Amino acid sequence: MPNLNIIDEREEEKERDKVVVLDFGGQYSHLIVRRCRDLGVYTELIPYDIPIEELKRGIEVEEGKGKIKGIILSGSPFGIHDPGSPKCSYEILDLGIPVLGICYGAQLIAYILGGVVGEGRKAEFGRTELFFKDSELFDGLSENGRINVWMSHGDVIERLAIADIIGYTRNTPVAAFRSKDRIYGVQFHPEVHHTEKGDNILWNFLYNICGCDKNWTIESFVRDKIREIKREVGSDGRVMCGLSGGIDSSTTALLVNKAIGDRLTCIFVDNGLLRKGEKEAVLSTFRKNFKMKLVFVDAEERFLNGLRGVKDAEAKRMVIGGLFINIFEEVASKLGNVDFLAQGTIYPDRIESAKARSDSVASRIKSHHNVGALPEKLGLKLIEPIKDLYKDEVRKVAKELGMSPQILNQHPFPGPGLAARVIGEVTEDKLRICREASWIVEEELKRSRWYDRVWQAFAIVGDDVATGVLGDARSLGRIVTIRVVESKEAMTADFVKLPYDVLESMSKRITNEVKGVTWVTYAISSKPPSTIEPC
Ligand code: XMP
């Protein structure tokens, strides 16, 4: 591990090249971003209707933000001719930097350039053979000018006005094109694994066509971030950070600590809704191992009192969010002269909350209270050092910073803690069952080597009871539901088809070891329509 405490202050901060993906709502938009980042160029997803002036500023260089060297237009569930179909400023093609349109993005470019896009007559879905001509975009792909690509489109580009066809398939006469000024379009999806050499195509765009420098790595991110935090906080600024023990807040705290040492104070609140062993793990990791300044607040009683009688899921979140804010305010006023609040917001959080803001209230699903009102209430400036990262990138940063394996490898845990998994009123008894049963679920997954293969796994308990037999007597007990899901970034999720013997040992242990449980069930719905957490 590099010694991050010794960073050469004089080393000049390099501006990082970046590419932006205009999001037209396609199902693979995030994947495009991920692939480009994995190839070594910092890439951001931005709304398709971003004002053209903003893009111009980004190309001319925004201070400390890196220069935009290329633009990718994503796919979309819309067709170009659908009413209300998303369209970006047409000036996007006159900015003087390369543009790559993918699927809908390619059709939009063809349309802007005066071509003809036909509606849904020759739809093509799945793997198809692409015949391509030599071009910078397809450089080094294959000797025979053919590769298998992944198609998923209804409309087709029928004619181009001012561009050359550089690829076609049996059903799609214009599967790839190149226009003047380094404007490219591909009807297929280079970002999905099913497209052979898709990474090569993106690599060609990023490096051969846009001329980006390969400078996005986790090490460079960590180094730049530490420098940025130092600059932002200044030589005597003070920061506080709510530490939950989850990977996001832990990574945030470590980054800030590396930058400003003990001018950072972490606050760890035991709200009585933590997982088994979590309090001990957090205290020992941050106080003993990392020797960080950590204020521990035992607020179990306060939270459980606040939650008494509250049954509605959203109301529980509000109580919990409100109490967190109160406690933070109290600690901040005790600490005195705190200037900044560090928060572990990550990229998908920002996207989800942006969506939540733009959606109608009726379609808001859950309020994730951790991207909230705290900084305004406290009058603190906000630092969000990992706000551009996806979850697995956060894990890589944490590893780079020497995070303990226990925190590094644990599953995500929601801000409202076990209250998200106790349906109805949160009582001591239901909490005990949820905590103990979840512990067993995790232990059994670790024992059967499934833990690292799934996204989240836990137990849920509500108010339903069912009959059981204990010895000769019949008795009523709680129903515990096991939920184990696989997911990428939690936007969608599938229940995991666990082997029956793993489920059986979980069930046996839960009914034997957790007092008051008579039945165990397995949650077999996916997201959507369900969410991952029940409340
Ligand atoms: P849902 O249940 O909405 O959850 O499918 C998606 C992901 O977010 C986590 N989650 C939360 N995280 N505060 C958080 O920090 C919250 O209020 C919250 N609610 C859900 C959940 O565990 C899953 O990983």
Side-chain angles (χ1 to χ4, degrees):
M1 194 184 95
N3 185 350
L4 294 161
N5 288 321
I6 310 170
I7 284 186
D8 187 352
E9 294 290 332
R10 290 154 307 176
E11 192 190 319
E12 211 182 300
E13 191 169 337
K14 287 191 202 82
E15 231 157 54
R16 196 183 279 130
D17 290 341
K18 88 174 167 193
V19 161
V20 292
V21 177
L22 259 54
D23 185 12
F24 292 93
Q27 57 175 327
Y28 302 126
S29 300
H30 278 285
L31 207 54
I32 304 171
V33 176
R34 301 308 318 272
R35 291 272 176 271
C36 296
R37 287 189 186 186
D38 288 348
L39 290 169
V41 175
Y42 178 65
T43 306
E44 267 182 21
L45 191 65
I46 57 175
Y48 71 88
D49 54 357
I50 182 173
I52 198 76
E53 292 309 321
E54 248 182 74
L55 282 176
K56 283 185 186 161
R57 272 198 301 278
I59 292 166
E60 276 148 24
V61 179
E62 273 182 82
E63 215 213 313
K65 287 205 173 158
K67 184 172 171 150
I68 301 176
K69 301 283 284 266
I71 299 174
I72 299 178
L73 310 186
S74 81
S76 174
F78 285 89
I80 295 286
H81 303 293
D82 289 349
S85 63
K87 305 234 169 55
C88 57
S89 160
Y90 291 4
E91 276 186 66
I92 203 126
L93 304 183
D94 302 324
L95 293 171
I97 60 168
V99 179
L100 170 66
I102 295 178
C103 195
Y104 175 89
Q107 294 170 6
L108 184 58
I109 294 176
Y111 176 82
I112 296 174
L113 294 177
V116 177
V117 179
E119 277 176 272
R121 280 191 303 275
K122 284 191 177 165
E124 210 174 10
F125 295 97
R127 211 183 296 264
T128 313
E129 197 171 25
L130 173 83
F131 302 87
F132 64 86
K133 276 202 224 162
D134 272 353
S135 79
E136 273 183 310
L137 191 63
F138 297 141
D139 194 27
L141 286 198
S142 80
E143 296 283 299
N144 64 2
R146 299 166 177 203
I147 48 161
N148 284 318
V149 298
W150 187 258
M151 287 286 192
S152 175
H153 63 104
D155 295 355
V156 287
I157 301 168
E158 289 175 347
R159 206 156 12 98
L160 291 166
I162 42 165
D164 299 327
I165 298 174
I166 54 169
Y168 63 92
T169 71
R170 285 197 176 86
N171 274 335
T172 307
V174 187
F177 64 83
R178 173 187 50 198
S179 147
K180 63 172 180 81
D181 301 334
R182 300 174 295 164
I183 310 282
Y184 290 81
V186 289
Q187 184 58 73
F188 60 90
H189 288 273
E191 70 278 20
V192 306
H193 279 304
H194 307 288
T195 292
E196 243 177 78
K197 309 273 178 76
D199 274 354
N200 252 21
I201 297 171
L202 292 174
W203 198 97
N204 286 339
F205 180 69
L206 298 172
Y207 296 110
N208 291 347
I209 297 170
C210 298
C212 293
D213 277 339
K214 190 169 191 294
N215 56 12
W216 168 254
T217 61
I218 292 301
E219 297 80 22
S220 69
F221 170 84
V222 168
R223 236 182 292 277
D224 290 356
K225 252 323 146 191
I226 291 175
R227 215 181 275 117
E228 199 181 302
I229 296 167
K230 278 186 182 177
R231 196 176 45 215
E232 209 176 329
V233 175
S235 55
D236 54 4
R238 296 191 174 272
V239 182
M240 71 181 217
C241 174
L243 192 64
S244 70
I247 189 79
D248 302 341
S249 64
S250 300
T251 307
T252 301
L254 264 185
L255 271 173
V256 179
N257 177 254
K258 296 283 181 203
I260 61 161
D262 65 6
R263 282 187 287 130
L264 165 73
T265 305
C266 290
I267 300 156
F268 174 53
V269 180
D270 180 0
N271 55 8
L273 306 168
L274 301 174
R275 286 171 282 196
K276 185 165 163 173
E278 198 159 14
K279 178 175 97 184
E280 295 74 15
V282 171
L283 291 177
S284 105
T285 302
F286 290 92
R287 273 192 180 153
K288 274 205 203 129
N289 300 2
F290 291 121
K291 314 247 177 298
M292 284 166 54
K293 220 199 244 175
L294 190 151
V295 174
F296 172 67
V297 184
D298 181 355
E300 180 172 358
E301 228 180 281
R302 211 163 147 186
F303 276 82
L304 296 191
N305 282 339
L307 287 168
R308 224 171 287 284
V310 185
K311 294 193 178 118
D312 174 68
E314 200 53 21
K316 287 193 283 190
R317 278 163 192 268
M318 292 303 150
V319 168
I320 294 166
L323 280 171
F324 265 120
I325 292 179
N326 292 348
I327 291 172
F328 273 70
E329 276 181 311
E330 288 160 23
V331 176
S333 83
K334 258 191 216 151
L335 289 175
N337 62 45
V338 177
D339 316 281
F340 296 87
L341 178 80
Q343 253 182 200
T345 315
I346 66 170
Y347 202 45
D349 294 340
R350 287 203 290 148
I351 290 169
E352 288 237 328
S353 17
K355 261 202 223 139
R357 273 197 301 277
S358 63
D359 289 356
S360 69
V361 176
S363 66
R364 230 174 74 189
I365 301 170
K366 283 176 196 171
S367 56
H368 284 212
H369 76 257
N370 45 347
V371 192
L374 197 53
E376 293 105 81
K377 251 205 133 182
L378 295 177
L380 299 176
K381 283 171 259 172
L382 190 60
I383 305 180
E384 295 175 303
I386 55 170
K387 70 178 192 321
D388 296 326
L389 301 187
Y390 289 93
K391 198 81 171 183
D392 61 330
E393 292 173 321
V394 177
R395 287 212 172 93
K396 287 183 192 155
V397 169
K399 195 164 178 203
E400 175 76 14
L401 293 166
M403 186 73 78
S404 65
Q406 189 179 354
I407 291 185
L408 202 56
N409 301 326
Q410 71 185 341
H411 292 161
F413 191 56
L418 296 181
R421 297 166 182 183
V422 167
I423 301 174
E425 185 179 358
V426 178
T427 64
E428 272 93 341
D429 194 47
K430 280 157 81 182
L431 271 178
R432 170 189 63 80
I433 291 174
C434 183
R435 183 177 287 123
E436 291 297 324
S438 292
W439 174 259
I440 292 173
V441 169
E442 290 199 2
E443 271 198 338
E444 288 304 310
L445 282 182
K446 284 176 188 161
R447 197 182 54 78
S448 56
R449 301 191 189 285
W450 273 89
Y451 185 85
D452 293 330
R453 294 163 63 185
V454 309
W455 174 262
Q456 271 176 306
F458 50 87
I460 298 165
V461 65
D463 294 310
D464 285 345
V465 289
T467 312
V469 273
L470 203 63
D472 291 331
R474 293 163 77 82
S475 64
L476 281 180
R478 299 249 182 224
I479 302 173
V480 161
T481 299
I482 298 169
R483 179 103 168 115
V484 185
V485 295
E486 54 196 6
S487 172
K488 287 229 175 303
E489 315 297 349
M491 308 275 186
T492 58
D494 281 324
F495 79 94
V496 177
K497 284 82 185 167
L498 281 181
Y500 278 146
D501 60 331
V502 177
L503 287 169
E504 189 180 12
S505 43
M506 287 176 183
S507 164
K508 271 192 181 150
R509 282 193 60 194
I510 291 171
T511 44
N512 283 338
E513 296 172 30
V514 187
K515 204 169 148 263
V517 180
T518 46
W519 280 53
V520 177
T521 62
Y522 191 50
I524 54 167
S525 54
S526 294
K527 174 182 179 174
S530 306
T531 51
I532 295 177
E533 309 286 351
C535 324

